[in-house]
Amino acid sequence: MGQAASTAAVANRRERTTAKTTRSTSLVSPMNATEEDDDDIRHPVDRGISDYISDLPDECLAIVFQSLSPADRNQCSLVCRRWLIVEGQSRQRLSLNAKLDLLPVISSLFNRFDSVTKLALKCDRRSVSIRDEALVIISERCPNLTRLKLRACRELTDAGMETFARNCKGLKKLSCGSCTFGSKGMNAVLDNCAALEELSVKRLRGIAETAVAEPIGPGVAAASLKTICLKELYNGQCFGSLILGAKNLKTLKLFRCSGDWDTLFTLMAERVTSMIADVHFERLQISDIGLQAISHCSNLEILHLVKTPECTDLGLVAIAERCKLLRKLHIDGWKANRIGDEGLIAVAKFCPNLQELVLIGVNPTKASLEMLASNCPNLERLALCASDTVGDPEISCIAAKCLALKKLCIKSCPVSDHGMEALANGCPNLVKVKVKKCKGVTPEGGDWLRLTRGSVAVNLDTVEAELQDASASDGGAQDNAIEFPPMPVCAAASTSGNIASRSTVRSASFKQRLGLLSGRKIVASTLRRWSGGSTSARHG
């Protein structure tokens, strides 16, 4: 009898333990239940349990997923079958490793991700990429594709691109780099994708194989194109028909494309569009003739001239006189010294809306800087790099005249602590100052500026200036490029300035302690890596 009682007690304990485990599992992770338990999951109120996630509609759950990072979304898809399905059906962006072995899994992959509208296909340069068959299947499974990025897909041909273009006529953005299809494939896209707004082409090998490339464009896409970006093209001028035919073009970027571009821009001035507002030229064979043609675009607001040694004051004066809406001007003179006071004074006279000015390898004097400060009341961001003429008098002029200035960068200029003292007493709206490779500026000068202007974030780099090899400061775009981040709201400017200033002081103190433990060269190398994020985004 005692044995029977003991057995009954054990059975009761097991029942209670099982019931408790069931309730705990239902509360913590009801998504792990089997299909037979769906009624209990979807109606937990009947059992006195609150489970809001299971009651959440699929549409709301999809919105939650859309606010997560790709890594977090991948983790969420492993929670349960429902989350796997909802996550896949709500994912619009997808990036795939476009190797040859992708082909067998494409169908199953897009069974799960059947709502993709933005797709990136990237292949390692040492691997064999997908071929036309894979691209065709993708285009059939994703007819609503609006964005496509191709990187190093060297096995794709004109035939594959032609089929893709016919299947994905709603494409709005195409970016391709290091691909081998040619003019026929590109023309197929322009002829079929009437909604295309952005086109970015880099190292398109197919058009470089022939001495005379087939003209590209304009096609039906010319009416909708707003941005054209061409990089490192041997026969980049074969896109001339497209550039001339894009009547609604607003942004034109040409980087390291060989050939004489003056003729094309002259034709553009004759036919052309006044819609262009943003022009970037880098290492381009263009002279004052081309700039004078560009000056007919009266809506021009942003101009970048990077390492274009044939451009002089004459061309800049033409731009200034006709493009009075200019807001941002970046000039990398590449030590050519062909743009100086004359061109900058013209900008000061005719472009009162100027907000951002970056001068690299340009030698302005107090005369042009004073006029810019006086005539451009909205000048908020100024960078002066690798200039032999910007010293303490010029900085003092900026401090006294640039009342709206918020961000100032000085690099590789003959400025000393006297210039820092002038900044401490001027530029009432200053938020951030960055000083690099200016050997005349000492840590004491930076500390004086911090103490005097507590709300200003001061980034002073003197260690790198002392250890910098002379061969590294050549004034090139890669070495001296400047990128201004978005301006903070005025209400937070003071707070953010104090935080950044204190962070700079703590950083300097840490660097000193680190210097006691390591050799100077090791410290300099480490600090240079840490500060690598402050350089400009490159056109890569």
Side-chain angles (χ1 to χ4, degrees), residues 233-248:
L233 297 178
Y234 177 75
N235 283 332
Q237 291 181 348
C238 66
F239 284 87
S241 299
L242 178 62
I243 295 174
L244 293 175
K247 297 181 180 180
N248 293 311

Side-chain angles (χ1 to χ4, degrees), residues 97-110:
N97 190 346
K99 293 183 180 180
L100 185 60
D101 55 7
L102 179 66
L103 178 61
V105 299
I106 288 179
S107 296
S108 59
L109 192 64
F110 286 98

Side-chain angles (χ1 to χ4, degrees), residues 2 9 67 142 211 251 305 357 369 457 469 480:
S67 65
C142 302
T251 300
L305 297 176
L357 178 63
L369 291 175
D469 189 280
N480 293 302

Side-chain angles (χ1 to χ4, degrees), residues 243-295:
I243 295 174
L244 293 175
K247 297 181 180 180
N248 293 311
L249 189 64
K250 292 184 177 180
T251 300
L252 178 62
K253 299 181 179 181
L254 303 174
F255 304 122
R256 303 178 293 279
C257 293
S258 61
D260 184 359
W261 289 86
D262 285 340
T263 303
L264 177 65
F265 295 136
T266 301
L267 291 174
M268 180 185 293
E270 295 174 356
R271 300 183 184 182
V272 93
T273 169
S274 60
M275 297 292 293
I276 294 181
D278 189 352
V279 171
H280 290 226
F281 295 149
E282 180 176 329
R283 293 198 180 189
L284 202 69
Q285 189 175 338
I286 178 177
S287 69
D288 291 334
I289 296 175
L291 289 186
Q292 289 173 346
I294 292 293
S295 71

